Protein backbone atom coordinates (compact mmCIF):
# COMPACT_ATOMS: atom_id res chain seq x y z
CA UNK A 1 0.00 0.00 0.00
CA UNK A 2 1.22 3.48 -0.85
CA UNK A 3 2.50 5.53 2.07
CA UNK A 4 1.86 9.26 2.33
CA UNK A 5 4.16 11.88 3.79
CA UNK A 6 4.35 15.65 4.06
CA UNK A 7 6.81 17.78 2.07
CA UNK A 8 8.35 20.59 4.16
CA UNK A 9 9.19 23.54 1.87
CA UNK A 10 12.34 25.18 3.25
CA UNK A 11 12.09 27.90 0.59
CA UNK A 12 8.66 29.07 1.75
CA UNK A 13 8.62 28.66 5.54
CA UNK A 14 10.83 29.63 8.47
CA UNK A 15 12.67 26.88 10.36
CA UNK A 16 10.38 27.10 13.39
CA UNK A 17 7.34 26.94 11.12
CA UNK A 18 8.74 23.84 9.42
CA UNK A 19 9.08 22.15 12.81
CA UNK A 20 5.49 23.14 13.68
CA UNK A 21 4.22 21.74 10.37
CA UNK A 22 6.03 18.46 10.98
CA UNK A 23 4.16 18.03 14.27
CA UNK A 24 0.85 18.81 12.55
CA UNK A 25 1.68 16.32 9.79
CA UNK A 26 2.27 13.50 12.25
CA UNK A 27 -0.94 14.34 14.12
CA UNK A 28 -2.88 14.29 10.83
CA UNK A 29 -1.68 10.78 9.98
CA UNK A 30 1.12 11.46 7.50
CA UNK A 31 3.78 8.75 7.65
CA UNK A 32 7.00 10.53 6.74
CA UNK A 33 8.62 13.86 5.91
CA UNK A 34 10.46 15.28 2.94
CA UNK A 35 12.46 18.45 3.45
CA UNK A 36 14.06 20.53 0.70
CA UNK A 37 17.74 21.50 0.89
CA UNK A 38 18.40 24.92 -0.67
CA UNK A 39 20.72 27.90 -0.22
CA UNK A 40 18.35 30.25 -2.09
CA UNK A 41 14.59 30.14 -2.58
CA UNK A 42 13.40 29.85 -6.16
CA UNK A 43 11.97 33.39 -6.09
CA UNK A 44 12.22 36.18 -3.53
CA UNK A 45 8.48 36.00 -2.80
CA UNK A 46 9.00 32.62 -1.13
CA UNK A 47 11.31 34.40 1.27
CA UNK A 48 13.11 31.63 3.21
CA UNK A 49 15.93 29.10 2.89
CA UNK A 50 17.19 27.77 6.21
CA UNK A 51 20.09 25.35 6.77
CA UNK A 52 18.44 21.98 6.44
CA UNK A 53 20.71 20.08 8.83
CA UNK A 54 19.81 22.36 11.73
CA UNK A 55 16.12 21.87 11.00
CA UNK A 56 16.52 18.09 10.82
CA UNK A 57 18.08 18.15 14.27
CA UNK A 58 15.04 19.99 15.58
CA UNK A 59 12.66 17.59 13.79
CA UNK A 60 14.34 14.64 15.50
CA UNK A 61 13.22 15.99 18.87
CA UNK A 62 9.53 16.57 18.09
CA UNK A 63 8.34 13.83 15.69
CA UNK A 64 8.81 10.10 15.28
CA UNK A 65 8.50 10.16 11.48
CA UNK A 66 11.22 9.19 8.98
CA UNK A 67 12.88 12.16 7.25
CA UNK A 68 14.29 12.35 3.71
CA UNK A 69 16.22 15.26 2.21
CA UNK A 70 14.61 16.07 -1.13
CA UNK A 71 17.25 16.56 -2.19
CA UNK A 72 20.79 17.32 -1.06
CA UNK A 73 23.43 18.11 -3.69
CA UNK A 74 26.81 16.80 -2.43
CA UNK A 75 28.75 18.12 -5.42
CA UNK A 76 29.91 21.75 -5.18
CA UNK A 77 28.52 23.87 -2.34
CA UNK A 78 29.10 21.14 0.28
CA UNK A 79 31.89 18.57 -0.02
CA UNK A 80 30.65 14.97 0.15
CA UNK A 81 32.74 14.33 3.28
CA UNK A 82 30.75 17.02 5.13
CA UNK A 83 27.48 15.62 3.79
CA UNK A 84 28.58 12.21 5.07
CA UNK A 85 29.13 13.66 8.55
CA UNK A 86 25.84 15.58 8.53
CA UNK A 87 23.82 12.58 7.34
CA UNK A 88 25.44 10.25 9.87
CA UNK A 89 24.55 12.65 12.68
CA UNK A 90 20.98 12.97 11.37
CA UNK A 91 20.67 9.17 11.35
CA UNK A 92 21.84 9.02 14.98
CA UNK A 93 19.41 11.75 16.08
CA UNK A 94 16.50 10.14 14.22
CA UNK A 95 17.23 6.64 15.60
CA UNK A 96 17.71 5.19 12.12
CA UNK A 97 14.80 7.00 10.42
CA UNK A 98 16.86 9.24 8.13
CA UNK A 99 17.17 8.85 4.34
CA UNK A 100 19.77 10.85 2.42
CA UNK A 101 18.13 11.98 -0.80
CA UNK A 102 20.75 13.23 -3.27
CA UNK A 103 20.75 14.75 -6.73
CA UNK A 104 22.85 16.71 -9.19
CA UNK A 105 21.51 20.04 -7.98
CA UNK A 106 20.88 23.48 -9.43
CA UNK A 107 23.17 26.41 -10.15
CA UNK A 108 20.74 28.45 -8.02
CA UNK A 109 22.28 26.92 -4.89
CA UNK A 110 25.67 25.65 -6.00
CA UNK A 111 27.24 28.70 -7.68
CA UNK A 112 27.73 30.76 -4.52
CA UNK A 113 31.50 30.24 -4.15
CA UNK A 114 32.20 31.10 -7.77
CA UNK A 115 32.71 27.51 -8.94
CA UNK A 116 31.82 26.79 -12.56
CA UNK A 117 28.56 24.92 -13.04
CA UNK A 118 29.36 21.63 -14.79
CA UNK A 119 27.24 20.14 -17.58
CA UNK A 120 24.75 17.42 -16.71
CA UNK A 121 26.96 14.49 -17.70
CA UNK A 122 29.81 15.71 -15.50
CA UNK A 123 27.43 16.26 -12.59
CA UNK A 124 26.23 12.68 -12.85
CA UNK A 125 29.83 11.42 -12.67
CA UNK A 126 30.45 13.76 -9.72
CA UNK A 127 27.41 12.40 -7.93
CA UNK A 128 28.54 8.81 -8.39
CA UNK A 129 31.96 9.60 -6.95
CA UNK A 130 30.44 11.67 -4.12
CA UNK A 131 28.13 8.83 -3.07
CA UNK A 132 31.11 6.48 -3.06
CA UNK A 133 33.04 8.84 -0.76
CA UNK A 134 30.05 9.19 1.56
CA UNK A 135 29.55 5.45 1.87
CA UNK A 136 33.24 4.82 2.47
CA UNK A 137 33.27 7.33 5.32
CA UNK A 138 30.21 5.66 6.84
CA UNK A 139 32.24 2.46 7.20
CA UNK A 140 34.11 4.18 10.03
CA UNK A 141 37.69 3.75 8.90
CA UNK A 142 40.36 6.28 8.01
CA UNK A 143 39.68 7.45 4.46
CA UNK A 144 42.08 8.88 1.93
CA UNK A 145 40.60 9.37 -1.52
CA UNK A 146 42.01 11.12 -4.57
CA UNK A 147 39.44 10.86 -7.33
CA UNK A 148 38.48 12.65 -10.51
CA UNK A 149 36.53 15.31 -8.62
CA UNK A 150 37.14 14.97 -4.87
CA UNK A 151 40.04 14.67 -2.48
CA UNK A 152 39.80 13.37 1.07
CA UNK A 153 42.91 13.19 3.25
CA UNK A 154 43.01 11.07 6.44
CA UNK A 155 39.35 11.60 7.34
CA UNK A 156 37.36 9.52 9.78
CA UNK A 157 33.82 9.90 11.11
CA UNK A 158 33.50 9.17 14.81
CA UNK A 159 29.76 9.76 15.32
CA UNK A 160 28.19 6.94 13.35
CA UNK A 161 24.77 5.24 13.48
CA UNK A 162 24.34 1.50 13.94
CA UNK A 163 23.23 1.33 10.30
CA UNK A 164 24.11 3.96 7.68
CA UNK A 165 21.20 5.84 6.12
CA UNK A 166 20.00 4.64 2.74
CA UNK A 167 20.89 6.87 -0.19
CA UNK A 168 17.96 7.78 -2.45
CA UNK A 169 18.89 9.27 -5.83
CA UNK A 170 16.83 11.84 -7.71
CA UNK A 171 16.21 11.51 -11.44
CA UNK A 172 14.42 13.49 -14.16
CA UNK A 173 15.57 11.69 -17.30
CA UNK A 174 16.74 8.27 -18.55
CA UNK A 175 20.44 8.90 -17.81
CA UNK A 176 19.87 9.93 -14.23
CA UNK A 177 17.34 7.10 -13.75
CA UNK A 178 20.00 4.61 -14.84
CA UNK A 179 22.45 6.14 -12.38
CA UNK A 180 19.85 6.04 -9.60
CA UNK A 181 19.17 2.37 -10.26
CA UNK A 182 22.87 1.56 -10.26
CA UNK A 183 24.05 3.43 -7.16
CA UNK A 184 20.92 4.23 -5.14
CA UNK A 185 19.10 2.45 -2.33
CA UNK A 186 15.94 4.23 -3.43
CA UNK A 187 14.53 6.64 -5.99
CA UNK A 188 13.26 10.23 -5.75
CA UNK A 189 11.22 12.16 -8.33
CA UNK A 190 8.53 14.80 -8.74
CA UNK A 191 7.18 13.34 -11.98
CA UNK A 192 4.26 10.86 -12.24
CA UNK A 193 6.20 9.14 -14.99
CA UNK A 194 5.84 5.35 -15.09
CA UNK A 195 8.45 5.03 -17.85
CA UNK A 196 11.05 6.88 -15.77
CA UNK A 197 10.33 4.65 -12.79
CA UNK A 198 10.58 1.57 -14.99
CA UNK A 199 13.95 2.73 -16.33
CA UNK A 200 15.15 3.06 -12.73
CA UNK A 201 13.94 -0.43 -11.85
CA UNK A 202 15.51 -2.00 -14.94
CA UNK A 203 18.85 -0.38 -14.07
CA UNK A 204 19.02 -2.04 -10.67
CA UNK A 205 16.22 -0.42 -8.70
CA UNK A 206 13.82 -3.37 -8.75
CA UNK A 207 12.46 -3.97 -5.27
CA UNK A 208 13.87 -0.69 -3.90
CA UNK A 209 11.62 2.12 -2.60
CA UNK A 210 10.50 4.90 -4.93
CA UNK A 211 9.43 8.26 -3.52
CA UNK A 212 7.65 11.10 -5.30
CA UNK A 213 6.54 14.57 -4.29
CA UNK A 214 3.99 17.10 -5.47
CA UNK A 215 2.68 20.49 -4.44
CA UNK A 216 -0.96 21.37 -3.85
CA UNK A 217 -2.79 24.48 -2.73
CA UNK A 218 -5.87 23.64 -0.70
CA UNK A 219 -8.19 26.54 0.00
CA UNK A 220 -11.88 27.22 0.37
CA UNK A 221 -11.97 29.23 -2.88
CA UNK A 222 -10.45 27.69 -6.01
CA UNK A 223 -9.61 30.98 -7.72
CA UNK A 224 -7.93 32.38 -4.61
CA UNK A 225 -5.95 29.17 -4.19
CA UNK A 226 -4.80 29.29 -7.80
CA UNK A 227 -3.67 32.90 -7.45
CA UNK A 228 -1.79 32.05 -4.25
CA UNK A 229 -0.07 29.08 -5.91
CA UNK A 230 0.91 31.28 -8.84
CA UNK A 231 2.26 34.04 -6.57
CA UNK A 232 4.43 31.71 -4.49
CA UNK A 233 5.30 28.90 -6.93
CA UNK A 234 5.07 30.12 -10.55
CA UNK A 235 8.23 28.07 -11.07
CA UNK A 236 6.02 24.96 -11.07
CA UNK A 237 5.11 26.02 -14.61
CA UNK A 238 8.73 26.23 -15.83
CA UNK A 239 9.78 23.14 -17.77
CA UNK A 240 13.08 21.88 -19.13
CA UNK A 241 16.64 22.47 -17.99
CA UNK A 242 16.29 26.12 -16.95
CA UNK A 243 15.71 25.12 -13.33
CA UNK A 244 19.17 23.53 -13.25
CA UNK A 245 21.00 26.37 -14.98
CA UNK A 246 19.73 29.75 -13.72
CA UNK A 247 21.82 31.15 -10.83
CA UNK A 248 19.58 33.73 -9.12
CA UNK A 249 15.98 33.96 -7.85
CA UNK A 250 15.42 37.05 -10.01
CA UNK A 251 16.19 34.98 -13.12
CA UNK A 252 13.40 32.59 -12.15
CA UNK A 253 11.12 35.56 -11.52
CA UNK A 254 11.87 36.88 -15.00
CA UNK A 255 11.16 33.53 -16.61
CA UNK A 256 8.05 33.06 -14.48
CA UNK A 257 6.44 36.13 -16.08
CA UNK A 258 5.65 33.75 -18.96
CA UNK A 259 3.67 31.47 -16.62
CA UNK A 260 -0.02 32.31 -16.16
CA UNK A 261 -2.11 31.07 -13.23
CA UNK A 262 -4.01 28.70 -15.53
CA UNK A 263 -0.72 27.19 -16.73
CA UNK A 264 -0.19 25.56 -13.34
CA UNK A 265 -1.36 21.96 -13.36
CA UNK A 266 -1.05 21.32 -9.63
CA UNK A 267 -4.28 20.68 -7.68
CA UNK A 268 -5.86 23.78 -6.11
CA UNK A 269 -9.02 24.56 -4.20
CA UNK A 270 -11.47 22.65 -1.99
CA UNK A 271 -12.62 19.79 -4.27
CA UNK A 272 -11.31 16.46 -2.92
CA UNK A 273 -11.59 14.83 -6.34
CA UNK A 274 -9.10 17.31 -7.83
CA UNK A 275 -6.49 16.40 -5.20
CA UNK A 276 -7.24 12.69 -5.41
CA UNK A 277 -6.88 12.67 -9.21
CA UNK A 278 -3.45 14.34 -9.01
CA UNK A 279 -2.21 11.93 -6.35
CA UNK A 280 -3.64 8.94 -8.21
CA UNK A 281 -1.29 9.65 -11.13
CA UNK A 282 1.68 8.92 -8.85
CA UNK A 283 -0.03 5.86 -7.38
CA UNK A 284 -0.72 4.52 -10.87
CA UNK A 285 2.88 5.19 -11.93
CA UNK A 286 4.00 2.82 -9.19
CA UNK A 287 5.49 5.01 -6.46
CA UNK A 288 5.69 3.51 -2.98
CA UNK A 289 5.70 6.82 -1.09
CA UNK A 290 4.12 10.15 -2.01
CA UNK A 291 4.96 13.42 -0.24
CA UNK A 292 2.58 16.37 -0.49
CA UNK A 293 3.38 20.05 0.14
CA UNK A 294 0.71 22.63 0.91
CA UNK A 295 1.42 26.03 -0.63
CA UNK A 296 0.68 29.04 1.53
CA UNK A 297 0.00 29.84 5.18
CA UNK A 298 -3.18 27.82 5.82
CA UNK A 299 -1.49 24.67 7.00
CA UNK A 300 -4.14 23.82 9.61
CA UNK A 301 -6.89 23.86 7.00
CA UNK A 302 -4.83 21.66 4.71
CA UNK A 303 -4.11 19.07 7.38
CA UNK A 304 -7.75 18.91 8.46
CA UNK A 305 -8.82 18.48 4.82
CA UNK A 306 -6.30 15.75 4.06
CA UNK A 307 -6.88 13.90 7.31
CA UNK A 308 -10.65 13.75 6.75
CA UNK A 309 -11.15 13.78 2.97
CA UNK A 310 -8.00 12.59 1.17
CA UNK A 311 -5.85 10.12 3.12
CA UNK A 312 -8.81 7.81 3.96
CA UNK A 313 -9.54 7.42 0.24
CA UNK A 314 -6.12 5.82 -0.31
CA UNK A 315 -6.21 3.55 2.73
Amino acid sequence: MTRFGYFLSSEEHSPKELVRQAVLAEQAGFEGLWISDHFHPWIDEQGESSFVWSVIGALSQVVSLPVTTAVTCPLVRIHPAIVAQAAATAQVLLDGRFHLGVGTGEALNEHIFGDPWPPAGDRQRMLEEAVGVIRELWEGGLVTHHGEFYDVENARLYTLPDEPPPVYVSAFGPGSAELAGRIGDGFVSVLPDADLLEAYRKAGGAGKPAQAGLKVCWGTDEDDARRLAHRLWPTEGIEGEASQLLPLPRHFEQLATLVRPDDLTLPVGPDPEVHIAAIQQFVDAGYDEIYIAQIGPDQEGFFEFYESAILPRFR
Side-chain angles (χ1 to χ4, degrees):
M1 184 177 293
T2 308
R3 294 168 56 87
F4 291 90
Y6 188 66
F7 186 175
L8 298 166
S9 295
S10 301
E11 308 91 328
E12 189 186 336
H13 302 288
S14 71
K16 287 185 178 180
E17 173 62 14
L18 294 173
V19 173
R20 190 184 77 90
Q21 290 174 16
V23 173
L24 293 175
E26 185 165 32
Q27 293 172 348
F30 285 91
E31 300 164 280
L33 297 169
W34 261 18
I35 184 166
S36 52
D37 181 0
H38 269 232
F39 190 87
H40 291 137
W42 294 100
I43 60 173
D44 284 346
E45 183 70 21
Q46 292 167 355
E48 295 285 347
S49 206
S50 50
F51 188 57
V52 71
W53 302 104
S54 300
V55 181
I56 289 170
L59 294 175
S60 74
Q61 302 304 295
V62 298
V63 296
S64 60
L65 300 176
V67 177
T68 304
T69 51
V71 292
T72 292
C73 178
L75 304 191
V76 179
R77 172 172 53 103
I78 304 180
H79 191 283
I82 304 304
V83 173
Q85 184 185 30
T89 300
Q91 179 77 323
V92 170
L93 284 168
L94 284 158
D95 295 320
R97 303 189 309 276
F98 179 67
H99 307 98
L100 177 61
V102 298
T104 55
E106 304 92 14
L108 175 70
N109 303 301
E110 304 302 310
H111 79 278
I112 60 171
F113 297 123
D115 299 277
W117 185 233
D122 288 354
R123 297 201 309 273
Q124 289 175 6
R125 299 204 327 274
M126 292 171 75
L127 182 62
E128 183 167 4
E129 184 178 336
V131 168
V133 168
I134 290 167
R135 286 190 168 130
E136 187 175 2
L137 283 162
W138 285 344
E139 293 175 3
L142 195 65
V143 174
T144 294
H145 170 93
H146 298 293
E148 182 180 1
F149 301 105
Y150 303 107
D151 291 301
V152 178
E153 189 73 35
N154 294 328
R156 178 184 172 188
L157 296 182
Y158 281 83
T159 298
L160 288 168
D162 294 333
E163 295 291 336
V167 178
Y168 287 15
V169 179
S170 171
F172 293 92
S176 53
E178 186 277 331
L179 177 65
R182 187 158 45 80
I183 71 170
D185 302 310
F187 182 68
V188 172
S189 183
V190 294
L191 302 172
D193 187 334
D195 292 337
L196 186 67
L197 188 52
E198 182 63 18
Y200 160 74
R201 288 177 171 150
K202 286 182 178 180
K208 299 176 183 178
Q211 299 180 340
L214 75 155
K215 291 181 175 63
V216 308
C217 190
W218 174 85
T220 56
D221 182 273
E222 180 179 342
D223 291 336
D224 287 346
R226 187 175 301 280
R227 283 191 290 268
L228 177 62
H230 181 259
R231 177 169 67 83
L232 289 172
W233 288 93
T235 50
E236 289 293 294
I238 297 174
E239 299 180 354
E241 297 180 55
S243 294
Q244 300 171 21
L245 301 177
L246 299 178
L248 290 174
R250 71 167 182 262
H251 298 145
F252 286 92
E253 291 163 4
Q254 292 162 5
L255 190 57
T257 60
L258 302 175
V259 179
R260 299 166 300 176
D262 289 343
D263 293 332
L264 298 180
T265 59
L266 54 86
V268 299
D271 186 350
E273 299 307 321
V274 171
H275 292 255
I276 288 166
I279 295 168
Q280 190 65 48
Q281 294 181 65
F282 290 89
V283 175
D284 292 344
Y287 286 95
D288 305 293
E289 303 173 24
I290 300 170
Y291 293 79
I292 299 154
Q294 161 70 355
I295 295 171
D298 192 356
Q299 298 292 318
E300 285 83 359
F302 162 84
F303 284 119
E304 290 173 7
F305 174 67
Y306 265 66
E307 182 179 13
S308 62
I310 305 300
L311 296 182
R313 292 281 293 271
F314 291 97
R315 291 170 174 163

